[in-house]
Amino acid sequence: MKVAVIGAMNEEIERMLTEMEVEETIDYASVRFYKGKMLGRDIVLCKSGVGKVNAALTTQVLIDRFGITHILFTGVAGALDERLDVGDLVISTSAMQHDLDASPLGFKRGEIPMFEGDSDFRASEALLTYAEKAAEGLVDRTVITGRVLSGDQFIADAEQVAELRKTFNGACVEMEGASVAQVATMNKIPFVIIRSISDKANGAASMSFTEFTDIASEQSHILVKSILQQLKG
């Protein structure tokens, strides 16, 4: 078993990096990969960079070059579900691209044209269960399961939030998870996305994101560590 832990930004992997035993550092395709151990598990930790292309590239490299068997994607997101506040968490049941729109060709928004398979990529049931169990140990945090929406946009508008919630029934919105989910699914690699809320994806989102990203990242870090402890094999 070899577990990939991916974050999009430095803040999303810094805590993992300080706590893992790094055995080797490899730069490949403009991404730095840290191979080593944490909690007795072989892991590869990396920062993908922001956006769907960066995340997809990084995920495929992890599979092809490092032979990973499980993927944990961690980081922050904007809230869509009204129950969520800064520091709360979303565990993905699935992930979907909200900015993919081929509706003039007769496809539903978010549906990948001519793609053989579901465009709503389902997370691993086992990893989802581990994450839910890990969440039981958190205090004063709302933790929900739901659909993670991804797009190459920073959402900071209340009307967009309402529209995304209505159209896709999304729990949170970010910029990478669905591309990781698609690559993982196409390679038959189990995955789960853990997102901590840094903002409400509204008019104050940019200020909240800057102020609370570090605090929010700490919460998802706790869940990732607990999942690593529970993994068997």
Side-chain angles (χ1 to χ4, degrees):
M1 177 182 293
K2 186 180 292 184
V3 183
V5 180
I6 313 171
M9 303 182 300
N10 285 326
E11 294 89 342
E12 296 170 340
I13 68 165
E14 282 175 345
R15 288 180 177 84
M16 293 290 294
L17 186 57
T18 60
E19 294 181 21
M20 74 176 286
E21 178 187 340
V22 178
E23 299 171 346
E24 187 177 6
T25 301
I26 299 170
D27 292 326
Y28 186 81
S30 300
V31 179
R32 178 159 292 177
F33 299 89
Y34 301 93
K35 289 180 63 178
K37 293 186 181 297
M38 187 170 188
L39 300 171
R41 297 290 176 202
D42 291 323
I43 74 168
V44 181
L45 174 70
C46 63
K47 179 188 75 173
S48 66
V50 174
K52 293 189 297 181
V53 173
N54 283 328
L57 177 147
T58 300
T59 304
Q60 193 63 57
V61 170
L62 283 162
I63 294 167
D64 290 343
R65 187 176 176 90
F66 295 93
I68 59 94
T69 60
H70 298 73
I71 295 174
L72 307 179
F73 195 96
T74 179
V76 298
L80 295 178
D81 192 297
E82 294 176 336
R83 294 172 290 174
L84 296 169
D85 207 340
V86 170
D88 292 338
L89 290 120
V90 175
I91 304 167
S92 68
T93 53
S94 66
M96 195 170 190
Q97 299 177 66
H98 70 79
D99 62 344
L100 200 163
D101 187 1
S103 55
L105 298 176
F107 297 93
K108 296 178 181 178
R109 278 186 57 193
E111 184 179 359
I112 303 170
M114 282 70 80
F115 180 71
E116 294 185 6
D118 195 341
S119 299
D120 184 24
F121 298 98
R122 305 290 300 179
S124 158
E125 290 289 344
L127 293 178
L128 176 59
T129 299
Y130 292 150
E132 288 181 297
K133 184 176 180 181
E136 294 173 1
L138 296 178
V139 179
D140 299 327
R141 291 283 180 257
T142 297
V143 182
I144 67 171
T145 60
R147 178 178 291 142
V148 172
L149 300 183
S150 305
D152 286 321
Q153 305 166 357
F154 185 85
I155 304 299
D157 180 85
E159 290 186 6
Q160 278 186 287
V161 168
E163 193 272 334
L164 289 173
R165 191 166 57 235
K166 178 180 178 181
T167 302
F168 295 101
N169 191 29
C172 67
V173 62
E174 36 88 300
M175 299 177 70
E176 298 86 23
S179 56
V180 173
Q182 179 175 346
V183 174
T185 299
M186 293 174 73
N187 285 275
K188 297 181 172 57
I189 301 292
F191 76 91
V192 72
I193 301 164
I194 307 293
R195 286 297 197 179
S196 185
I197 301 303
S198 61
D199 61 84
K200 302 281 279 185
N202 55 19
S206 58
M207 185 190 313
S208 178
F209 177 84
T210 302
E211 182 176 357
F212 293 113
T213 290
D214 189 59
I215 295 171
S217 295
E218 182 179 5
Q219 302 305 312
S220 53
H221 170 70
I222 293 170
L223 256 68
V224 168
K225 283 179 62 178
S226 181
I227 294 170
L228 287 174
Q229 287 177 314
Q230 295 177 68
L231 280 171
K232 300 175 178 63

